[in-house]
Amino acid sequence: MKKTRLFLGTVLMLFIISLLAIPALAAEDGEESNQEREGIQFDFNDLEDAPWAEEYIGKMQSKDVIYGYDDGTFRPNAPVKRIEAIVMAVRLLGLEDEALSKPSDTALHFKDEKQIPSWGRGHVVVALENGLFNATEDKIQADKPASRVWIVQLLVRALGLEDEALEQMTSIPDFKDVNTIPAGSIGYVNVALEQDITAGYPDNTFKPNKKVTRGEMAAFLDSTNEDLLEQSGAVTVQGTVTDISFEQEIDETESTDVEGSITIETSDGDKATYHLPSDLIVQYYDRFISANQLIEGDMVTLVIKNDEVVEASLLNEDQVNTTSNLIELEIKVEDEEQEYKLKYQNKKGKVRAEVKSESKDQETKLKGKEAVAEAEEIIQQLALSSDMTREDIVTKVLNTLQIEEGQYEELEIKIKFTNGKKVDIELEDEGKEESQDNGYNGIREFELGVKLLDDQKLELKYENEEDKVKAEVKRESKEGKEQYKGEQAVETLESFLDEIALSEDMTKDEILETILSELDINREDINELEIEIDFTNEKEVEIEIENDDDDDEDDEDDDHDDDDDNDDDEEDDDED
């Protein structure tokens, strides 16, 4: 079934559609457009009970992750039951079809398996198969309200970050009520905070045992969805629409898909064009419009995977810093006497920040507008750009924060630019980059061989092990051949590794896209390609493309399409 037909069917069957008059937010030359856009709002008759949650509820509805009740309510302030949360997590992972295919009489080795409703048994099976449960759990307690700490553990496991959680069990988070967090959950809370799945309350408590409402669950899921997309190789870009167009294609069944393209210009002047499905739902706070209603001059945040827009948000330029070329910035500096942390986000029409400075004698914490003002002043002084080297970025940060080289124990810098480029730097021991068994920027060996359809060839080889560094560069084209080794090759390859800034937590697709972008190579121009990388943490990555028929071998990062409408047979009981 084609996407346009599916989209209309799903919306008409599952949601009450209301049409809104949403004026265009921006147009060419800064003039407001007179065009009105028909907005799609996935509405319930009780969302005024939790207006802050409308955008999250609408977005998760649009992804078929959460549904309401037969009486037209969503009950956003009602506690979410554990079985509901499990079903939602499985849907978020794109495993709904797999769950529905499980026999409803599948035996489950839980003491209370008879209390598991038939509509959720398949989801419990899939959750077990995908490691969403604690190994020691012997009960589901399906109807029990889910607590914050229970939800955190569920979603951290859904992200595949349980190992990271186990490594952080002895790092105690800074909450006034930290003693109420179970010891075995500390690591999960730390990871959830790092991944922005959740945060503490304004009074600096975490409230681990507080019941999570259905509205809060929608917000939890939205944050987790961002992490899942990033894990799959998606990147976030932000800028102004400079061109948008759609073409209608007719297939053999005579149904139509309207496919389009969108070009945006980021604040630093970069332009890029992406494929844009016309039926993609575009978020504007708690409202939604279809992508074919975007116009030139709109300010947008786009999530891109394989050159296609998979998520989009229309922004109000009055609410975001349109001059900043940063979507996210995190800085952490530590030494024996003090610690400094800065966290800044500027995306999807929202600007958030937190600044913390702590020493033996004084502690300062800034949040809200005060933190945003402080962070944006620092960002202006930093004047970072996506074409800067890692060394230049480190120097800028240290100079801006008035920290001398070698006068810190740990330095962490994470940056996401509006053009999609990411930088992740971790330094320790007086500014020496952390490594294991030698290596450079976390890489022990790097090999690349590529042959293009026009017979151009490039070979890169780099090895840094046991205090020995070797490198070789070969190029071949119609104009001739070029080959060099030794110091020149080492400098060339290390400069290249600085620019691409690969890390062991990147997916194959993300690694491939980063390398091809830096080499200015299009996938469709490749005849053969091989990449082999050995990271210093022992992770090995191999990517092959041959005859332009096979994309890189990272099928595990493919999107899961939930293209089948879901039956609502037992929706009167719960989420199904």
Side-chain angles (χ1 to χ4, degrees):
M1 185 179 293
K2 290 292 183 176
K3 287 184 179 178
T4 301
R5 178 177 293 175
L6 173 63
F7 169 73
L8 292 175
T10 302
V11 170
L12 290 173
M13 288 177 61
L14 299 180
F15 306 119
I16 299 172
I17 300 180
S18 61
L19 298 180
L20 315 177
I22 304 177
L25 298 175
E28 286 188 288
D29 302 324
E31 296 180 3
E32 186 171 88
S33 169
N34 292 323
Q35 174 183 345
E36 289 188 346
R37 316 188 205 198
E38 289 187 346
I40 304 167
Q41 187 175 21
F42 306 110
D43 207 1
F44 295 101
N45 57 32
D46 62 347
L47 287 190
E48 67 275 6
D49 294 343
W52 66 269
E54 287 188 37
E55 61 177 288
Y56 307 114
I57 294 169
K59 188 172 177 182
M60 289 300 101
Q61 283 179 311
S62 73
K63 294 180 174 295
D64 292 337
V65 173
I66 59 178
Y67 305 143
Y69 296 89
D70 283 345
D71 61 1
T73 64
F74 182 75
R75 306 173 197 174
N77 293 323
V80 65
K81 299 175 184 178
R82 285 190 174 190
I83 188 62
E84 289 179 324
I86 293 166
V87 169
M88 293 173 187
V90 168
R91 288 175 181 157
L92 188 68
L93 291 173
L95 302 175
E96 171 82 337
D97 289 344
E98 184 177 335
L100 295 177
S101 70
K102 302 293 184 182
S104 61
D105 60 351
T106 301
L108 295 169
H109 192 59
F110 289 103
K111 292 180 179 179
D112 59 349
E113 74 145 334
K114 292 182 179 179
Q115 278 70 56
I116 302 172
S118 60
W119 53 264
R121 294 181 73 86
H123 298 82
V124 171
V125 173
V126 171
L128 283 167
E129 293 172 346
N130 287 271
L132 303 193
F133 287 103
N134 186 313
T136 63
E137 290 186 71
D138 59 359
K139 290 183 179 181
I140 292 288
Q141 296 179 282
D143 287 333
K144 181 178 180 179
S147 67
R148 281 169 55 83
V149 73
W150 189 88
I151 291 294
V152 158
Q153 292 183 70
L154 175 72
L155 296 180
V156 167
R157 293 191 187 103
L159 289 169
L161 298 177
E162 185 162 26
D163 288 345
E164 286 81 351
L166 296 176
E167 291 174 0
Q168 297 193 40
M169 286 296 181
T170 57
S171 179
I172 310 303
D174 182 24
F175 291 115
K176 290 193 300 186
D177 61 346
V178 68
N179 290 335
T180 65
I181 302 175
S185 301
I186 289 290
Y188 294 94
V189 171
N190 284 325
V191 172
L193 293 170
E194 288 179 357
Q195 300 296 128
D196 289 325
I197 296 174
T198 187
Y201 289 90
D203 63 355
N204 196 35
T205 60
F206 184 74
K207 301 179 182 177
N209 299 314
K210 182 179 180 292
K211 297 174 184 177
V212 175
T213 67
R214 287 167 55 82
E216 290 170 337
M217 187 64 193
F220 273 110
L221 293 165
D222 183 53
S223 299
T224 306
N225 177 61
E226 289 188 24
D227 292 325
L228 287 170
L229 284 170
E230 188 167 346
Q231 284 183 358
S232 71
V235 298
T236 301
V237 298
Q238 187 165 284
T240 302
V241 178
T242 60
D243 185 64
I244 186 168
S245 61
F246 294 91
E247 295 180 359
Q248 193 172 59
E249 297 178 0
I250 302 177
D251 68 5
E252 65 278 2
T253 66
E254 297 185 357
S255 63
T256 60
D257 271 344
V258 182
E259 306 296 341
S261 65
I262 185 170
T263 302
I264 70 167
E265 181 176 2
T266 63
S267 55
D268 54 7
D270 287 350
K271 283 189 176 182
T273 301
Y274 308 102
H275 173 67
L276 178 67
S278 65
D279 59 5
L280 181 76
I281 293 176
V282 179
Q283 182 178 354
Y284 172 54
Y285 291 97
D286 59 337
R287 304 177 182 181
F288 300 87
I289 63 172
S290 56
N292 59 8
Q293 295 186 75
L294 292 174
I295 60 174
E296 291 182 22
D298 281 340
M299 183 77 177
V300 294
T301 300
L302 307 178
V303 179
I304 310 297
K305 183 173 180 181
N306 297 331
D307 291 327
E308 179 171 340
V309 182
V310 295
E311 286 194 1
S313 299
L314 176 61
L315 311 183
N316 185 338
E317 294 187 40
D318 294 334
Q319 302 296 321
V320 295
N321 185 350
T322 57
T323 62
S324 174
N325 65 339
L326 301 183
I327 290 177
E328 293 186 24
L329 172 66
E330 291 186 34
I331 300 173
K332 179 180 177 182
V333 189
E334 289 186 22
D335 63 23
E336 291 183 354
E337 297 183 351
Q338 59 184 356
E339 179 181 36
Y340 177 85
K341 292 181 180 179
L342 180 149
K343 195 169 186 178
Y344 175 83
Q345 289 185 342
N346 173 33
K347 63 180 180 180
K348 296 184 180 180
K350 297 178 181 178
V351 181
R352 301 186 181 97
E354 185 176 346
V355 182
K356 178 181 177 181
S357 179
E358 186 176 0
S359 65
K360 293 181 179 179
D361 304 322
Q362 186 177 2
E363 181 177 351
T364 303
K365 290 183 180 180
L366 300 179
K367 291 187 177 182
K369 293 182 179 180
E370 194 176 7
V372 170
E374 174 76 11
E376 290 188 341
E377 182 178 348
I378 291 173
I379 288 170
Q380 187 175 7
Q381 294 175 31
L382 287 171
L384 301 174
S385 64
S386 59
D387 57 357
M388 293 173 67
T389 65
R390 294 160 64 88
E391 287 78 8
D392 288 341
I393 290 172
V394 169
T395 300
K396 278 276 191 180
V397 169
L398 293 179
N399 289 342
T400 300
L401 299 180
Q402 299 181 350
I403 299 173
E404 294 183 11
E405 184 73 34
Q407 297 302 309
Y408 58 86
E409 293 182 349
E410 293 184 17
L411 173 64
E412 296 181 13
I413 304 171
K414 296 181 180 180
I415 309 170
K416 293 181 182 178
F417 291 94
T418 53
N419 62 4
K421 183 171 181 179
K422 296 187 289 186
V423 177
D424 195 341
I425 300 172
E426 292 188 22
L427 304 176
E428 65 176 22
D429 295 332
E430 297 185 351
K432 294 182 180 179
E433 190 149 4
E434 181 180 12
S435 65
Q436 301 175 8
D437 301 328
N438 305 125
Y440 184 81
N441 282 0
I443 294 176
R444 185 180 295 119
E445 293 185 26
F446 177 90
E447 291 191 24
L448 177 145
V450 59
K451 179 180 179 182
L452 303 183
L453 295 176
D454 62 1
D455 291 332
Q456 290 190 70
K457 296 180 181 179
L458 174 65
E459 291 185 22
L460 304 176
K461 294 183 179 180
Y462 180 84
E463 182 179 335
N464 185 331
E465 193 169 6
E466 296 180 357
D467 296 323
K468 294 180 181 180
V469 183
K470 301 177 183 178
E472 183 176 1
V473 177
K474 293 182 182 180
R475 296 191 182 97
E476 184 176 337
S477 65
K478 294 179 181 179
E479 286 72 30
K481 299 180 180 180
E482 181 182 8
Q483 177 178 354
Y484 51 95
K485 300 181 179 181
E487 186 175 344
Q488 183 182 6
V490 170
E491 291 180 358
T492 298
L493 266 297
E494 290 186 347
S495 176
F496 178 71
L497 294 176
D498 281 337
E499 292 299 322
I500 58 178
L502 303 181
S503 65
E504 63 273 7
D505 58 350
M506 294 171 70
T507 64
K508 287 185 179 181
D509 191 66
E510 190 171 1
I511 289 173
L512 178 63
E513 291 300 325
T514 300
I515 292 173
L516 295 183
S517 175
E518 184 64 28
L519 295 175
D520 197 21
I521 294 175
N522 296 320
R523 285 198 191 201
E524 57 267 24
D525 295 331
I526 296 173
N527 187 359
E528 297 177 6
L529 177 142
E530 291 186 10
I531 298 173
E532 294 184 11
I533 306 170
D534 289 352
F535 289 94
T536 54
N537 71 341
E538 308 302 333
K539 179 178 179 179
E540 297 180 0
V541 175
E542 294 184 7
I543 302 172
E544 292 186 15
I545 297 178
E546 193 169 337
N547 295 328
D548 200 31
D549 291 329
D550 299 322
D551 289 336
D552 58 279
E553 298 180 344
D554 60 335
D555 294 340
E556 69 272 17
D557 295 321
D558 287 345
D559 281 333
H560 299 280
D561 284 330
D562 295 329
D563 285 344
D564 294 325
D565 293 339
N566 300 318
D567 294 333
D568 297 327
D569 294 339
E570 298 182 70
E571 191 174 359
D572 59 327
D573 180 29
D574 221 296
E575 283 285 318
D576 198 51

